[in-house]
Amino acid sequence: MRNFEYARPDTEAEALEFLADHQGQTAVLAGGTDLMNLLRADLVQPKRVVDLKPISSLREITAMDGGVKIGALVTLTELARDPMLADYRSLIDVVDGVRAVQVQSAGTIGGDLCHLPNCWYFRNGYGLLGIDGAESLVSEGDNRYHAILGNQGPAKFVNASRFAPSAIAWNAKVRIIGPAPDQAEWVPLEYFYITPKTNGQGNTILKPGQLVSHVWLPDPGVLTSATYEVLQMQGLDWPLASASATLDIENGLVREARIVMGHVAPVPWVAQEAARFLLGNPVNDDTAGRAADMAVARATPLSMNEYKVQLARTAVKRAVLKAAGQWEGVNLP
Ligand SMILES: Cc1cc2nc3c(=O)[nH]c(=O)nc-3n(C[C@H](O)[C@H](O)[C@H](O)COP(=O)(O)OP(=O)(O)OC[C@H]3O[C@@H](n4cnc5c(N)ncnc54)[C@H](O)[C@@H]3O)c2cc1C
C-alpha cells in the first residue's frame, strides 16, 4: 500500500477543507470495508484519506420535510434497528440480504451508495471500462456477471450498490456537499449515477472534493415496498440481479408504482414501462409476471450472461408480489 496522509475532521466543513487539498487527490473513508481493498490493490492512489467517522452530523437519523434524513455514516445495523425506518421495508430487506454481521455493523449507507463496481477487470487494474489498449476485455472475455441492460456503450460493469434500487424506488434524494465548505445540494438519487464513456469519468456525478452527507426518503404514507435479491450463496455475496418495488394499492388496484432493478446495468435501472403497466391493475401472479417481462424486454445480454435475463425477470416479479404482500418465500436462490 502506498503512503498517504490520514485526516480526522470533526465537522462537515472541516472534511471539505481536508478534501480540497492535493488538487482533489483525496479519498473519503467511511466504514472502510471496501476502501481498504481499493488502497491495497492500488486502484485508488489518494495523497490524503479523510476519515468521516468523527463527524456526528453524519451519524444521525432525523425527521425532515415530512420524510427521514439519514446520515451517510449510518451503518446497516443502525438502519435496520431504527423505528423511523421500519416502514421502508425494501431497505430492511437489503440489510437482511447482507448476511455478515461484520459488514452489517461496519458498512455504511454512504459507502454502499458510492461503492465502486466489483467488475473483475476493474478490480484487476483495467479501469471502469475494462479496456486493454483498444480491446474491451469484457466483450471478449468472461462477462458472466456483467450488464444485460444499458451495455451498448463501452461501460459494461454493473452498479454495485445494494441500497440504490430500493432508495430510488422510494424517490430518495442525496445531499452532496463541497467542494467549497458552504456548498450543498440535494439531488434525486436516480440522477446521481452515470454510465461513463471513458475510464477517468467515474460512475457518479461526484466531483473531486465532494461527498455524500445524507440521504432523504419521503414519508412512506400508505406505500408498501420490497426488495428481492437473487444471490448465489447463502453467506456474504453480491446479488446476480435484484429488484425493488414501491407500491400504492387502493381497493385492490395499483395507484402508484416504482420498480428499480440492481446489478443488471452500469446504473440502477428504473423499469418505467413495467411500473406503468401495473397502474390500475391488481397485483397477482399474472400481472407481476407481465410487468417482469416488460422490465427485461430490452435486455441485450453479453456472450456469457443470458441467464441473468431470467434472474432479473424473477427478481422483478417477486419484488412486486412481495411488496403487495403476496410472496411468502425467503430471499434465497
Ligand atoms: C471482505 C469483504 C467482502 C464484502 N463482500 C460484500 C458482499 O458480498 N456484498 C455486500 O453487499 N457487501 C460486501 N462487503 C461490504 C461492502 O463493502 C459494504 O457493505 C459497503 O458497501 C461499504 O461501506 P463502507 O462504509 O465500508 O465503505 P468504504 O469502504 O469506507 O467506502 C466505499 C467507497 O465509497 C466511498 N465513500 C464512502 N462514503 C462516502 C461518502 N459519504 N461520500 C462519498 N464517497 C464515499 C469511499 O471513498 C470508497 O470508494 C464486503 C466487505 C468486505 C470487507
Side-chain angles (χ1 to χ4, degrees):
M1 196 188 284
R2 291 175 197 239
N3 289 342
F4 53 80
E5 292 172 15
Y6 172 74
R8 270 176 80 83
D10 288 316
T11 64
E12 293 176 27
E14 235 176 79
L16 294 175
E17 278 172 32
F18 279 129
L19 285 171
D21 289 350
H22 298 300
Q23 294 172 323
Q25 287 184 56
T26 47
V28 168
L29 173 70
T33 63
D34 194 46
L35 186 70
M36 299 317 289
N37 296 333
L38 295 167
L39 288 168
R40 268 191 224 110
D42 209 24
L43 292 171
V44 293
Q45 293 125 12
K47 296 220 160 70
R48 175 184 291 162
V49 169
V50 180
D51 187 351
L52 303 182
K53 281 192 285 297
I55 307 176
S56 56
S57 62
L58 302 183
R59 313 198 79 92
E60 294 167 357
I61 302 178
T62 49
M64 189 189 106
D65 293 347
V68 185
K69 187 172 93 169
I70 306 168
L73 281 183
V74 168
T75 65
L76 277 54
T77 305
E78 288 162 350
L79 267 180
R81 287 194 185 147
D82 197 288
M84 291 178 84
L85 298 172
D87 289 332
Y88 299 95
R89 188 61 237 175
S90 55
L91 268 83
I92 313 297
D93 285 345
V94 174
V95 181
D96 291 345
V98 179
R99 299 187 192 116
V101 72
Q102 298 92 331
V103 170
Q104 288 175 342
S105 8
T108 65
I109 181 138
D112 173 83
L113 294 176
C114 299
H115 200 285
L116 285 167
N118 292 316
C119 163
W120 45 38
Y121 299 107
F122 167 65
R123 296 278 164 170
N124 280 293
Y126 292 101
L128 280 178
L129 304 185
I131 285 176
D132 190 13
E135 184 192 3
S136 164
L137 298 173
V138 190
S139 298
E140 304 303 319
D142 190 335
N143 49 39
R144 76 185 94 157
Y145 298 130
H146 287 77
I148 54 167
L149 285 157
N151 57 4
Q152 308 290 324
K156 302 185 195 302
F157 61 84
V158 296
N159 185 279
S161 172
R162 286 178 81 158
F163 283 101
S166 53
I168 292 172
W170 276 107
N171 281 318
K173 292 182 183 169
V174 279
R175 182 169 173 262
I176 296 176
I177 59 173
D182 57 350
Q183 241 175 310
E185 186 187 9
W186 283 100
V187 177
L189 182 59
E190 186 176 344
Y191 305 127
F192 178 67
Y193 297 101
I194 53 172
T195 302
K197 294 204 166 47
T198 62
N199 263 334
Q201 219 179 344
N203 70 330
T204 69
I205 59 172
L206 281 183
K207 296 193 208 65
Q210 291 188 316
L211 64 95
V212 170
S213 71
H214 295 85
V215 182
W216 177 82
L217 300 168
D219 178 6
V222 295
L223 298 176
T224 59
S225 69
T227 296
Y228 189 93
E229 295 182 321
V230 183
L231 292 152
Q232 216 164 1
M233 296 191 282
Q234 293 189 27
L236 187 60
D237 195 10
W238 296 98
L240 294 165
S242 74
S244 295
T246 302
L247 303 176
D248 176 3
I249 301 177
E250 196 178 281
N251 298 324
L253 301 179
V254 176
R255 274 170 29 109
E256 204 183 317
R258 293 265 293 167
I259 300 171
V260 185
M261 289 188 275
H263 310 277
V264 293
V267 295
W269 197 260
V270 180
Q272 266 170 354
E273 286 175 20
R276 210 176 299 129
F277 163 76
L278 288 177
L279 300 182
N281 278 313
V283 173
N284 54 39
D285 201 67
D286 174 53
T287 55
R290 285 166 68 186
D293 285 338
M294 288 180 191
V296 296
R298 292 177 208 277
T300 49
L302 304 170
S303 58
M304 293 176 71
N305 67 7
E306 175 99 42
Y307 75 98
K308 282 188 66 168
V309 177
Q310 179 58 34
L311 298 188
R313 183 190 177 278
T314 299
V316 170
K317 181 176 176 186
R318 292 185 182 178
V320 169
L321 289 171
K322 200 171 163 189
Q326 296 180 34
W327 174 254
E328 300 302 329
V330 287
N331 246 5
L332 293 175

